[in-house]
Amino acid sequence: MKRIVFAAIAALAVVTLTLPSLTFAGNDGPSASGNFQFSLEDGQPRFLEFNAREQNKGTVVGEMTFSDPSVVPVGDPDATPGSNTPGAFVRAKFDCLKISDNRAVMGGVISESNILSAVGLRVLLVVEDNGEGINALTDKLTWGIYTPQGTGWTPKDAERDDDNGASLTWLARDFERPDDVGIPSNPSKIVGCESFSLGAYSFVDIAHGGGNVQVSP
């Protein structure tokens, strides 16, 4: 009987020790998280909280919430009437993450907002991690909201019903470099983490307040 009890306890110990590694598997990928409470030149407070992580299969999960109590929403006359709550509130679900050194760009779709016309738009959040402690006061951020781009027309030879030239796609690659991923002939028009270089963003000038950013490549 003692041997059976000991074996059961040993088995329980093994399960207990292995469960954390199973529970948190996939949480060691690149990540970015943080929060800001700040004001710009107008002196009005703004609040931001975000987190994004790349899982082991390359899927990005995370979200951001941003609120600006000073905003007066301008309604779309063609849209369904919504709340007239003062200020702007936005929640977005991230679907991409790109990290280079101490900078990270996160992109996704606005899933919730008191401004109905903003729901469904793409958003990019860019942050710079300058360290912990007193260095965290120099962490930076910027953001942008983007409307979908549509051509509205398809180039076609009017004299040929079988013309499909506008739909052809190809990759321009350096044949002598196996590592060249190539440049697509028809790049995606969806704004995402690869749309702009991380060095191309201009960070906002924070007049008061600050935040804490953690970027883990």
Side-chain angles (χ1 to χ4, degrees):
M1 179 65 69
K2 290 183 180 179
R3 277 189 248 175
I4 296 175
V5 172
F6 177 80
I9 294 175
L12 179 60
V14 171
V15 172
T16 304
L17 290 174
T18 56
L19 276 177
S21 61
L22 293 175
T23 303
F24 296 101
N27 286 351
D28 295 329
S31 65
S33 61
N35 58 77
F36 277 90
Q37 181 175 343
F38 65 100
S39 62
L40 304 179
E41 293 180 355
D42 58 9
Q44 299 297 324
R46 294 166 175 84
F47 306 92
L48 170 72
E49 187 172 357
F50 66 93
N51 65 84
R53 181 179 297 275
E54 182 178 320
Q55 296 183 323
N56 54 3
K57 293 184 179 180
T59 303
V60 173
V61 296
E63 67 175 14
M64 64 166 278
T65 56
F66 175 76
S67 62
D68 185 347
S70 66
V71 168
V72 178
V74 177
D76 183 350
D78 297 326
T80 303
S83 171
N84 292 323
T85 304
F89 170 81
V90 169
R91 173 176 283 117
K93 300 291 185 181
F94 289 138
D95 53 33
C96 71
L97 169 66
K98 179 181 178 181
I99 294 178
S100 178
D101 297 328
N102 65 333
R103 289 185 177 185
V105 56
M106 295 148 276
V109 177
I110 296 177
S111 59
E112 182 180 347
S113 176
N114 64 313
I115 304 175
L116 297 182
S117 59
V119 176
L121 299 182
R122 297 286 301 179
V123 60
L124 292 181
L125 172 66
V126 187
V127 296
E128 181 177 275
D129 180 3
N130 290 311
E132 298 299 317
I134 192 171
N135 291 328
L137 298 176
T138 62
D139 289 347
K140 300 178 181 179
L141 82 158
T142 190
W143 66 92
I145 296 176
Y146 304 85
T147 57
Q149 296 182 356
T151 59
W153 59 281
T154 302
K156 182 179 180 181
D157 188 337
E159 298 178 355
R160 295 190 55 181
D161 295 333
D162 60 343
D163 178 26
N164 61 354
S167 63
L168 296 177
T169 60
W170 65 89
L171 283 175
R173 300 179 57 187
D174 186 338
F175 182 75
E176 298 179 352
R177 293 188 55 185
D179 60 334
D180 183 9
V181 296
I183 300 175
S185 60
N186 295 324
S188 174
K189 293 182 174 61
I190 298 176
V191 175
C193 297
E194 299 289 344
S195 297
F196 313 104
S197 167
L198 271 170
Y201 296 99
S202 297
F203 294 101
V204 299
D205 295 323
I206 296 178
H208 302 285
N212 186 20
V213 173
Q214 293 182 338
V215 174
S216 301

